[in-house]
Amino acid sequence: MEILNGKKLSQDIKAEIAEEVKLIKQKGGKIPHLAAVLIGNNPASESYVRSKVRSCDFVGFESTLIRKDDSITEEELLEIIHELNTSDDVDGFIVQLPLPKHIDEVKVTLAIDPKKDVDGFHPVNFGRMAQGLDCYLPATPFGIIQMIERYGIETSGKHAVVVGRSNIVGTPMSILLSRKAKSGNATVTLTHSRTKDLAAEVSRADIVIAAIGIPNFISADMVKEGAVIIDVGINRVEDESRKKGYRLVGDVDFDSVSEKASYITPVPGGVGPMTVTSLLMNTLKSSRKEIYG
Ligand code: BQF
């Protein structure tokens, strides 16, 4: 069994990005600039945005954090998005999810200019992804694909089972793995809460993508010997022995499943850090104006 070390891999990729930024600076080019909009004070969202800003600093990107109170109206948020869309300086931006209940996430996502949509959530980018066109891939699936590629994991002809059908992980992951492309050509089963016999589906998988949001949901008895296990879950469970009062656990029961897996991602330090690095890769791509001119 080999652990897929997302923390190490993300550091390697960040070092590569930092080199590119150095070259841009030497040539007197424009420094890539990522902006993030954070609404309210959800502790998880705060920690995610902080790690994104820290990563920008590390690679030499400019970053802007726009923080607003929970009381912001949808209209005010849409105005901020308009300003970011039309800013000559900002190459890409994200609106950290989840948003407060009185703000429509779909409306917000649709308001982001696809050419600055470095989270890859806009339907234009989603549609381009589905048709195999150049686009900003959603950060988590992009990170998983990077991991699969850089560890040389074969996907062609394999049976991949994706558990969870969200717009930002499960559904795009099922599309990417089945594409006629590098790290594609898999036969994909997309499972969800209405799947009749989930354990039976997972047990047929050469590759499992677990994106359910339930701690330790995938157990050893559900997986085939030698399967590749990608754990997307980031669940906070209470733990009095930690100074934060909680620890992170994945959707996969790591201790038992790792004994059967050929490759497995840990939590923390697996898919999570790759997600943040993907955002930087998309921002670099945007600053190069490769896609939308
Ligand atoms: C790690 C996210 C659910 C909902 C909204 C490193 C991150 C997480 C874990 C991180 C996530 C999850 C992010 C680890 C960004 C990934 O070491 O395991 C980094 O910062 N993430 C987000 O911005 O919004 C989310 C999960």
Side-chain angles (χ1 to χ4, degrees):
M1 183 270 299
E2 189 175 353
I3 289 183
L4 298 168
N5 189 340
K7 187 165 181 188
K8 166 75 167 59
L9 187 50
S10 71
Q11 281 164 351
D12 293 348
I13 294 172
K14 280 194 271 196
E16 291 168 19
I17 296 172
E19 282 301 311
E20 300 238 6
V21 174
K22 228 169 90 185
L23 289 177
I24 293 169
K25 286 180 180 170
Q26 277 168 13
K27 290 183 195 149
K30 187 196 165 297
I31 296 164
H33 184 173
L34 174 70
V37 182
L38 174 60
I39 311 291
N41 36 32
N42 175 325
S45 294
E46 283 181 356
S47 117
Y48 296 148
V49 169
R50 250 185 283 120
S51 84
K52 290 168 189 179
V53 170
R54 237 186 297 120
S55 296
C56 283
D57 294 343
F58 180 83
V59 300
F61 285 5
E62 282 184 43
S63 66
T64 300
L65 172 57
I66 300 171
R67 282 205 75 153
K68 294 287 168 188
D69 198 79
D70 257 331
S71 62
I72 189 172
T73 65
E74 189 177 88
E75 209 174 24
E76 285 165 337
L77 177 55
L78 292 173
E79 180 51 35
I80 292 169
I81 290 169
H82 175 72
E83 278 161 23
L84 292 167
N85 281 340
T86 51
S87 157
D88 287 332
D89 200 52
V90 170
D91 295 293
F93 67 96
I94 63 152
V95 178
Q96 183 65 43
L97 301 181
L99 290 169
K101 281 188 297 291
H102 64 279
I103 298 177
D104 182 347
E105 285 185 1
V106 173
K107 217 164 162 182
V108 166
T109 301
L110 286 170
I112 298 172
D113 188 329
K115 65 164 156 293
K116 294 197 178 186
D117 170 39
V118 288
D119 255 341
F121 293 166
H122 193 287
V124 166
N125 280 311
F126 192 100
R128 292 180 68 103
M129 171 195 66
Q131 295 196 356
L133 302 172
D134 199 12
C135 64
Y136 300 115
L137 292 178
T140 299
F142 189 15
I144 294 169
I145 292 292
Q146 282 293 316
M147 206 172 215
I148 288 173
E149 271 179 22
R150 292 193 181 224
Y151 272 92
I153 293 169
E154 182 63 74
T155 56
S156 182
K158 301 291 167 137
H159 185 192
V161 173
V162 179
V163 190
R165 57 179 155 187
S166 74
N167 283 337
I168 61 181
V169 182
T171 299
M173 211 50 231
S174 72
I175 293 168
L176 292 171
L177 287 168
S178 57
R179 280 197 308 190
K180 191 166 185 161
K182 200 159 64 160
S183 297
N185 294 307
T187 304
V188 178
T189 302
L190 179 56
T191 67
H192 45 74
S193 56
R194 305 287 178 94
T195 296
K196 280 257 164 62
D197 189 349
L198 187 86
E201 299 296 342
V202 173
S203 70
R204 280 191 280 274
D206 301 307
I207 302 168
V208 178
I209 310 289
I212 315 128
I214 303 173
N216 301 322
F217 184 81
I218 303 287
S219 53
D221 55 301
M222 292 167 78
V223 309
K224 186 164 79 178
E225 194 73 40
V228 175
I229 310 292
I230 308 290
D231 189 352
V232 188
I234 298 173
N235 308 291
R236 287 183 172 202
V237 302
E238 247 183 79
D239 186 342
E240 299 301 334
S241 73
R242 304 292 177 99
K243 54 177 188 292
K244 288 182 173 170
Y246 67 88
R247 67 192 151 87
L248 295 182
V249 305
D251 291 348
V252 174
D253 180 30
F254 184 90
D255 291 343
S256 67
V257 173
S258 60
E259 287 180 15
K260 286 176 104 177
S262 57
Y263 292 91
I264 187 167
T265 62
V267 177
V271 174
M274 295 300 295
T275 297
V276 178
T277 305
S278 301
L279 187 61
L280 302 178
M281 291 175 73
N282 280 343
T283 304
L284 185 60
K285 188 179 179 78
S286 177
S287 82
R288 291 198 184 115
K289 309 212 182 305
E290 281 174 24
I291 310 182
Y292 297 100

